[in-house]
Structures are given as structure tokens and as C-alpha cells.
Amino acid sequence: MAFDYDLFVIGGGSGGVRAARVASGEYGAKVALAEEYRMGGTCVIRGCVPKKLMVFASAYAPAIEDARAYGWRVEAGTFDWPAFRAKLDAELDRLEGVYRAGLADAGVTVHDCRATVEDAHTVRLASGETVTAKHLLIATGGRPSLPEMAEKAGALTSNDLFKLETLPKSMLIVGGGFIACEFACILNGMGVEVTQFYRGEQILRGFDGEARGHIAEHMRDNGINLHVGTDVIEMKAVDGGTWVKSTDGREAVYEKVVYATGRVPNTDGLGLEGTGVKLGRKGEVEVDEWSKTAVPSIYAVGDVTSRINLTPVAIREGHAFADTIFGARPTKPDHDLVPSAVFTQPEFGTVGMTEEAARDERPIEVYATSFRPMQTAFVGRPDRVMMKLIVCAKTRKVLGCHIVAPNAGEMIQLAGIAIKMGATKEDFDRTVAVHPVMAEELVTLRKPVRTG
């Protein structure tokens, strides 16, 4: 059978774009891609990139205070959200243009419309046109979900925060994952009075317990009204905002309410079920270690598979798919020891096992420290950083590293290389410290604080 394309990609996010560019530009495949919204996906348009720019913007108020303590004669004005948002929108437009240019340079045909799957080799475009391809790649990502009660009351999701016309005076953020915590810190830094509810016992479930507690303490110290073990039981739109009643009996009106309680894969209405592709309980596309679905011609990468929902992981999955199918280089995406960062204030960088997970599997040693860094101690701030290594008592390999500190994301990238290579605690010990920097503590931790 003759096909219109060798590959048709549905979804213009990081994973889909990487697969399309490599398959076409490096391996000469005939490739088309459909995107119904904006090129760049969650990361570029409504996730990592705009969020990180908001993190930068939110950090200037304390930086100006510190500058005064260091002898600079400076005064902070008020934060101009409309001016920042205009620059933010312009930057996202620029990045979308970069993505489009990359696809064009690689010879990929782009369809700016929704596409659905008709069968194992056929895609239907929103125009009604159908096209065929030897291989289909589903890279449609995920989206925030809203409970029915919140939707009826007009609650926002993280997507909406990038499009606010004005910053509210008060905001309730519901959720305790990294998205909820990051936006709580961002908006607090921009001058919004932030309250956060999380129904669990501690924020950032799934991360290292000691790090979670350290971050929660700092968030409260920085002015975030954080309540754990708390959830919303009633809410409704009223004059001036949203009235909310919580499980602890609290009642209050917030100008805006944001739900960050989870994301779901974008598979609704794609037509996958009719082809024999299997979907999981939350709608995620089930794939094997090669990113292949139950239908041999259909593959999926990125957040739509709910493996590890991180942009660099989606990029690796997309590249591995192209290498395998079009480059005659069978490559499995590697999901082991993936470093990541949570852009709270302070930041949290992590790679490998948590203390809790490691302790359940084997005898370990825990090396940890918490201290006031030089830069903020000088100006009298009480901020403390935390650094922690989880070590296998038998093999001496470093199983995990967790850092809560300014620029922890930068530090964990480099620690991740060593741990991925199988570094032992003694390898860390043999490395000479850089002084005076926070990261030197990673190579000067001599005695375990806990074993077991």
C-alpha cells in the first residue's frame, strides 16, 4: 500500500516536534505534523518556559531588599504585571516561531488544525481531508483537570494564570504538587496574598520527605498561608470573587481560585479506542519500552503516555522513536535516574531515590546537612538550605541526591551526571571542594546522620 507520508505526528509539543524533525531532517522520511493550538506544546506555551520567566520576575523583590543590605541605594517600586505579560507574550511568540522554523527547515509539512485517528494508518484533519501514513505518532500531551464543583464556580487552572489581565489581590491555590507549589511561590513573590490548601499530610507527595518539610517551612516563612490536611467542600461565585468553605471549617472569599490538583492525557475524541490502541484508567496511551502501542503502526511519546511527565523526557522519547523507526538505530528511551527541579522558593533539585524508597529496599546511609548560606546570612535572612545524599551501604553507590537551595536546579544537573555514571560516596569524597559555594557541601559530607 502506498502512503501519503512515512510518518504523521499528532501534537506539536517538544516530543512530537523532535520526532518529526529527526525523522525528516536527519533520516529523510516524508513527515507531516498536525497541531490544533500553538506550536511548542505545554512547555513552551503554557508550562516550563513562561513559568520560569515568572519565577525570575517574582524573585526581584527580596533581591532588592538584599541589595540595600549590601550597601546599594535602591528602592523597589510596584510590580507591573501588564508590562511583564506583554514581554512574556512576545517571548512565547518568538519561541513558537523557532519551533515552526525548525520544522520547515527539516522539511516537515505542518497542518495547523486538529487531527484524529481513523484507523491504523489514516488521520482525519479538521477540514475533513484524510491522509495516510505508514506510522502514526501520538504526542498530544496533557492538560489540567477541574472538578465539576470548581468549574461551576469559575475556578482557574494553571493554563489561565499566564493570561490574567491583572494580578488579583488574593488567591487560593488548591493542590500540593509541584505546579501548585511553584505558582504559590511565584504569586506570593509578585505581591499576591496567597493561601494554599492541600488535602494530604504534606506537600510534594512522592518527593523526599525531609526536603518536602523543608520547603513547606520556607513557604510559610515567606508569607504563604499553607494549610495541609485541608480541602474545599463548598465554593461559589460571589461579588468580589469566590466564596470557599474548607474541611477545617474556614470560610473566606478569594478574588481568584486556582486548581492545580492533577493533569490528564489529551486523548479525548482522538479516535484511538476504535483502532485497538489501549488506554489506561486516566486516558493515558499504554505503550511498551519502545513507545509502541497495541497497534504496531501507532506509537506515543510524552505526557500522553503518563510515564515521566517532563519535557526533556518527551524529547528523548521522540528522538528514540525516530532513531528506531527511521534511523535503523534501535533505541529505548532511558527513564532511569532522571534529574528534575521544582521551582519553588527556594528551588528543589532531585535525582534518584528518596530516603523513604531506598530504605524500603536495602540498608542505606544518609548524609545530610542544613545551613544558612553565606549570601543571605550576611543580610540577616533566616533562610536555610538542605543537601542530602542517599548511599547504598553495601555497594557505596549514591542512590539519590536532594538539594533545597537557590539555584538547586543548576546544581542537580551536574550531580545527576555523576550519579547516572554510578558514582560512589568515595568518588564524591575524592572530589576537591569549590570554595566558597553552597555546592561544596556535597563533597564534604563525611559522617552519615542516619543508617538503616
Side-chain angles (χ1 to χ4, degrees):
M1 177 181 176
F3 298 104
D4 298 321
Y5 296 100
D6 299 312
L7 171 65
F8 197 102
V9 180
I10 302 180
S14 299
V17 168
R18 174 58 66 91
R21 286 179 57 192
V22 173
S24 181
E26 293 190 22
Y27 299 130
K30 187 177 182 182
V31 180
L33 180 147
E35 168 56 52
E36 66 177 330
Y37 181 51
R38 294 184 66 181
M39 208 64 68
T42 294
C43 178
V44 173
I45 303 301
R46 50 192 176 272
C48 321
V49 171
K51 176 191 69 183
K52 188 65 181 289
L53 292 170
M54 289 175 73
V55 168
F56 292 146
S58 68
Y60 279 101
I64 291 171
E65 289 182 18
D66 289 354
R68 284 199 293 266
Y70 271 94
W72 288 93
R73 294 180 182 176
V74 291
E75 295 297 329
T78 56
F79 179 63
D80 188 339
W81 168 259
F84 169 76
R85 230 206 80 182
K87 291 202 70 172
L88 179 65
D89 290 345
E91 176 64 4
L92 301 188
D93 289 345
R94 185 188 71 82
L95 291 172
E96 183 179 11
V98 170
Y99 266 62
R100 288 186 177 277
L103 289 168
D105 291 345
V108 176
T109 300
V110 172
H111 298 275
D112 288 302
C113 65
R114 180 174 175 80
T116 56
V117 180
E118 292 274 289
D119 60 37
H121 295 284
T122 308
V123 170
R124 181 174 293 276
L125 303 178
S127 63
E129 176 190 0
T130 59
V131 294
T132 59
K134 186 176 182 180
H135 300 282
L136 305 182
L137 179 66
I138 310 303
T140 49
R143 67 183 188 278
S145 60
L146 266 182
E148 185 179 353
M149 174 182 64
E151 191 170 3
K152 286 183 177 178
L156 308 177
T157 70
S158 57
N159 285 357
D160 301 312
L161 290 174
F162 303 115
K163 293 297 183 182
L164 291 172
E165 294 299 324
T166 58
L167 279 184
K169 291 184 173 59
S170 64
M171 179 177 288
L172 170 66
I173 297 177
V174 182
F178 71 90
I179 295 173
C181 293
E182 287 173 338
F183 277 112
C185 293
I186 288 167
L187 292 159
N188 176 66
M190 291 178 172
V192 178
E193 184 182 328
V194 176
T195 301
Q196 184 178 354
F197 291 169
Y198 177 51
R199 65 183 181 181
E201 64 179 8
Q202 185 57 282
I203 57 170
L204 298 172
R205 181 171 62 90
F207 290 97
D208 184 83
E210 192 173 2
R212 295 163 70 195
H214 194 97
I215 293 167
E217 182 180 346
H218 271 274
M219 288 173 67
R220 291 189 177 102
D221 288 345
N222 289 338
I224 296 169
N225 196 10
L226 173 62
H227 299 272
V228 295
T230 305
D231 204 356
V232 176
I233 53 175
E234 289 183 64
M235 60 188 303
K236 61 183 178 182
V238 296
D239 289 342
T242 305
W243 171 85
V244 176
K245 183 177 181 180
S246 56
T247 51
D248 59 2
R250 187 186 318 272
E251 296 182 35
V253 173
Y254 304 93
E255 191 173 333
K256 296 289 183 184
V257 175
V258 176
Y259 264 71
T261 51
R263 294 175 63 84
V264 294
N266 280 323
T267 52
D268 292 352
L270 273 182
L272 292 172
E273 301 94 320
T275 68
V277 170
K278 293 180 181 178
L279 302 182
R281 184 172 59 87
K282 294 183 178 180
E284 71 274 16
V285 179
E286 295 185 355
V287 294
D288 66 10
E289 57 191 347
W290 300 96
S291 298
K292 185 166 65 177
T293 72
V295 178
S297 60
I298 302 179
Y299 290 71
V301 298
D303 291 6
V304 76
T305 67
S306 286
R307 286 178 283 184
I308 299 178
N309 292 355
L310 294 171
T311 297
V313 173
I315 291 171
R316 288 294 183 95
E317 291 171 356
H319 204 130
F321 159 79
D323 286 343
T324 300
I325 301 302
F326 299 103
R329 298 170 52 200
T331 306
K332 297 177 185 177
D334 185 353
H335 295 107
D336 187 38
L337 293 174
V338 174
S340 63
V342 179
F343 295 103
T344 44
Q345 294 173 8
E347 285 182 16
F348 176 29
T350 179
V351 62
M353 302 184 79
T354 66
E355 178 179 346
E356 293 78 15
R359 192 179 296 278
D360 286 344
E361 288 189 4
R362 70 198 84 188
I364 60 169
E365 295 177 350
V366 178
Y367 296 80
T369 184
S370 181
F371 57 93
R372 294 176 68 192
M374 176 189 295
Q375 184 176 6
T376 49
F378 180 80
V379 300
R381 278 211 261 149
D383 305 34
R384 301 184 70 81
V385 306
M386 188 208 84
M387 297 190 183
K388 182 175 184 178
L389 296 175
I390 315 299
V391 177
C392 176
K394 195 171 184 179
T395 67
R396 306 302 298 155
K397 280 190 175 182
V398 179
L399 304 174
C401 177
H402 311 282
I403 304 172
V404 181
N407 298 310
E410 305 288 352
M411 288 188 253
I412 205 65
Q413 179 70 83
L414 301 180
I417 296 171
I419 293 170
K420 185 73 172 177
M421 292 177 70
T424 64
K425 179 62 172 65
E426 286 65 36
D427 290 327
F428 274 67
D429 294 344
R430 283 196 297 271
T431 304
V432 176
V434 177
H435 182 76
V437 299
M438 289 181 288
E440 68 182 291
E441 296 290 333
L442 292 174
V443 299
T444 59
L445 295 168
R446 293 294 183 233
K447 294 183 178 180
V449 296
R450 290 183 292 281
T451 60

